[in-house]
């Protein structure tokens, strides 16, 4: 089997061999070589202990060295090529990761052989190695064959593999999304039997797998596998809850299927790097899968066979905030996605009756930095099969966006402030700092949004008129 391998890998292999140590390229980089995919970082395993290979790695990686993974037997290094590109490597001692039944953190035990190390990896397609510098291909579990068939299978008994590291169950559904693979039947069955063991894995590690899944080329396939495996019931229960039972009397959309369609439509509306929403955009994708999670809680069966979901936007926003916090997403992501869910129905009133300029200003002001994402989420959510309704909706959105463009040429929406500031309010009304100044400021901001920029004396007159009315 012919391989085109990074010269840096060959050089590093020679340095280890000179000291009597084994070194092999493992995991994703080997898989990517066979798939003819680029691989940016190189992972190796070795017979040497960290204290033994640290001097070699420091000498090779003259542009950078790190040891955050030392307790796991991992050290890393980096060097820059003449063209300015960076090559990063991580080297790990042959090892075994196992979990204590009651612990959230894996225990690390060193192993003795490359084959033993490979047997403890997640899937056969990641349990292949390339010894360096002699380029001997090592594939004890048939990973190359599974790679050709696009199948995910564990190197050892799947229950043993998932007992050793339950996060591997999340990796399986992530690889469905990233690689377009299917999960082997016996492996899928083991995940269904053992999915409750995911509870011992930290929220941060689960979140990281979800993020990789969502940012992949096939997030829908990954989410569907997550639901089918039963893992979603434990790590993201709001998603399978969208599979509402639909009877013949009370007809409404399959909310889970609708959500998957919205996700795909939202992805199609992402832009290139120079556009306002460069893809893959995690905020938009999270909002797409969560925009309707309030529906199960708000579903009501109405007379005449209709079904309503009143206030599912507000309820969904609260649920979104709670779930993303539980998954340890950062504060900004939590707030942005929650706000998109809260606002995702806002535009629909425009379709029935185009807004005044003041209402358009409010929409843009309330959306803030999420404006472009909100419009894309709103467009993606319009999944009606009625061509006339779809055309009317698209036309209304186009019209509103054009009006925003024209209004932005006239004024900077991001900088909209009242025509009188807080200091002027206190001076004109003879007030000391306090709640009344805040009320006056809020009124003048509302006045500004309703009327656009006005002459200063007009704004002063409005302020005094308002103050007189609240004093009476």
């Amino acid at each position: 089997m012919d391989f085109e391998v990074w010269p840096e890998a060959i050089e590093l292999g020679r340095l280890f061999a000179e000291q009597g140590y084994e070194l092999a390229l493992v995991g994703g980089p080997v898989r990517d070589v066979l798939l003819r995919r680029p691989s940016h970082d190189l992972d190796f395993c070795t017979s040497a202990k960290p204290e033994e290979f640290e001097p070699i790695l420091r000498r090779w990686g003259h542009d950078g060295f790190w040891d955050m993974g030392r307790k796991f037997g991992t050290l890393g290094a980096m060097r820059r090529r003449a063209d300015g590109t960076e090559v990063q490597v991580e080297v790990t001692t042959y090892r075994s990761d196992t979990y204590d039944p009651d612990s959230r953190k894996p225990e690390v035990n060193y192993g003795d052989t490359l084959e033993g190390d490979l047997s403890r990896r997640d899937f056969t397609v990641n349990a292949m190695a390339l010894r360096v510098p002699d380029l001997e291909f090592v594939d004890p579990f048939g990973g190359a064959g599974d790679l050709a068939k696009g199948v995910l299978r564990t190197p050892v008994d799947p229950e043993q593999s998932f007992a050793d590291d339950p996060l591997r169950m999340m990796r399986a559904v992530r690889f469905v999304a990233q690689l377009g693979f299917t999960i082997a039947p016996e492996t899928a069955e083991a995940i269904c039997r053992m999915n409750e063991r995911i509870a011992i894995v930290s929220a941060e590690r689960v979140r990281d797998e979800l993020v990789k899944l969502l940012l992949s080329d096939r997030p829908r396939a990954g989410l569907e596998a997550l639901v089918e495996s039963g893992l979603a019931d434990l790590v993201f229960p709001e998603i399978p809850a969208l599979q509402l039972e639909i009877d013949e009397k009370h007809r409404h959309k399959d909310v889970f299927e609708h959500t998957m369609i919205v996700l795909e439509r939202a992805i199609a509306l992402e832009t290139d790097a120079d556009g306002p929403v460069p893809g893959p955009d995690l905020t938009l994708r999270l909002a797409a899968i969560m925009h309707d999670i309030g529906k199960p809680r708000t579903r009501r069966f109405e007379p005449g066979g209709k079904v309503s979901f009143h206030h599912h936007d507000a309820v969904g926003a609260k649920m979104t905030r709670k779930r993303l916090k539980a998954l340890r997403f950062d504060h900004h992501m939590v707030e942005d996605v929650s706000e998109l869910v809260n606002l995702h129905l806002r535009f629909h009133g425009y379709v029935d009756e185009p807004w005044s300029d003041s209402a358009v200003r409010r929409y843009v002001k309330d959306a803030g930095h999420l404006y472009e994402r909100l419009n894309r989420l709103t467009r993606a959510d319009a999944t009606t099969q009625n061509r006339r309704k779809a055309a009317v909706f698209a036309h209304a959105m186009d019209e509103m966006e054009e009006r925003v463009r024209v209004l932005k040429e006239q004024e900077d929406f991001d900088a909209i402030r009242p025509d009188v500031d807080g200091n002027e309010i206190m001076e004109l009304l003879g007030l000391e700092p306090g709640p009344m100044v805040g009320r006056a400021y809020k009124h003048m901001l509302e006045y500004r949004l309703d009327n656009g920029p006005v002459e200063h004396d007009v704004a002063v007159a409005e302020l005094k008129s308002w103050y007189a009315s609240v004093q009476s």
Side-chain angles (χ1 to χ4, degrees), residues 26 28 36-37 41 84 113 122 154 185 211 219 233 238 248 268 284 321 404 427 435 443:
V26 292
R36 302 293 191 265
R37 286 169 38 140
D41 301 325
T113 66
D122 52 7
T154 55
V211 168
D233 293 322
E238 295 80 3
E248 293 183 0
L284 178 60
R321 185 172 285 106
V404 170
E427 182 180 341
H443 171 76

Side-chain angles (χ1 to χ4, degrees), residues 387-429:
R387 290 187 178 183
R388 186 189 66 80
K389 287 184 178 180
V392 168
F393 185 91
H395 174 75
M397 178 62 82
D398 291 342
E399 178 185 277
M400 192 273 292
E401 289 182 335
E402 176 61 19
R403 288 178 63 190
V404 170
R405 188 189 65 77
V406 172
L407 285 170
K408 282 188 172 183
E409 288 180 355
Q410 300 170 2
E411 53 186 316
D412 181 359
F413 279 26
D414 294 333
I416 287 181
R417 301 287 186 275
D419 293 297
V420 290
D421 62 22
N423 290 328
E424 279 189 286
I425 289 171
M426 289 188 289
E427 182 180 341
L428 290 166
L429 302 182

Side-chain angles (χ1 to χ4, degrees), residues 258 262 287-288 290-295 309 311-317 320 336-349 363 373-382 393 397:
H258 165 74
V262 172
M290 305 189 82
H291 76 285
D292 275 348
I293 63 170
K295 280 190 171 180
F309 303 96
H311 308 299
H312 77 269
D313 45 352
V315 172
T320 296
D336 284 355
V337 176
S338 301
E339 187 63 3
L340 285 170
V341 173
N342 186 51
L343 294 174
H344 83 274
L345 295 179
R346 179 78 168 269
F347 174 76
H348 287 261
Y363 177 84
R373 290 189 179 100
L374 177 58
N375 286 359
R376 282 162 173 76
L377 176 61
T378 303
R379 285 184 185 272
D381 191 30
F393 185 91
M397 178 62 82

Side-chain angles (χ1 to χ4, degrees), residues 203 207 210 232-239 286 290 293 297 316-329 334 338:
R207 175 205 62 209
L210 282 170
D233 293 322
L234 300 158
V235 302
F236 215 141
E238 295 80 3
I239 303 304
L286 278 169
M290 305 189 82
I293 63 170
R297 289 192 183 179
K318 291 180 181 178
M319 294 171 65
T320 296
R321 185 172 285 106
K322 182 177 180 180
R323 175 53 51 198
L324 295 188
K325 283 183 177 179
L327 287 168
R328 303 292 193 271
F329 279 92
V334 172
S338 301

Side-chain angles (χ1 to χ4, degrees), residues 50 53 66-76 90-93 95 110:
F53 69 80
W66 56 92
D67 65 352
M68 293 85 74
R70 185 183 292 273
K71 65 181 179 180
F72 301 111
T74 301
L75 303 178
E90 286 197 339
V91 182
T92 303
T93 303
R95 67 182 184 180
Y110 291 141

